[in-house]
Amino acid sequence: MRLEARLAALAAAGETLHYGALARDLGLRMGELTAALESLMEEDAAQGRPFRAAVLSQRLSPDHLPAPGFFQKAAELGADVSDPAAFTADQRRRLAQCS
């Protein structure tokens, strides 16, 4: 299953997945996954869509939030990430509605 399809399936199911698990599932190195996710975020921002990468979470995050790099990239793309939990919840809600 391709990255985009896997993220869409997670969003539709209202689920999250850890970065490492997704990398293993897709046979990617972490650096490859990160680069692909950043590219998707750029595409999402250009199209005015919610960030598909929001369905991923850090392995040790008690709140199931994405990694800091997600928020850094989102901010670079013009998103207000001053409240990471609220931003993530909004992105995930919007993704579920699009599915």
Side-chain angles (χ1 to χ4, degrees):
M1 182 179 286
R2 292 183 48 222
L3 175 59
E4 296 90 341
R6 186 73 169 110
L7 296 175
L10 289 167
E15 298 176 350
T16 62
L17 186 66
H18 302 289
Y19 292 91
L22 180 61
R24 281 189 303 277
D25 288 352
L26 299 176
L28 298 173
R29 291 188 173 108
M30 193 59 78
E32 294 170 324
L33 177 61
T34 299
L37 291 169
E38 287 184 356
S39 179
L40 284 178
M41 288 180 73
E42 291 167 1
E43 184 180 312
D44 291 340
Q47 298 295 320
R49 295 186 302 233
F51 294 119
R52 291 172 278 182
V55 299
L56 298 175
S57 65
Q58 291 188 91
R59 187 171 57 86
L60 299 177
S61 172
D63 299 327
H64 303 285
L65 294 177
F70 167 80
F71 299 106
Q72 180 180 7
K73 184 67 175 180
E76 288 173 11
L77 295 169
D80 177 5
V81 297
S82 57
D83 182 342
F87 177 74
T88 301
D90 180 63
Q91 294 295 299
R92 290 175 179 170
R93 178 190 54 76
R94 291 177 56 209
L95 284 165
Q97 290 174 343
C98 294
S99 302

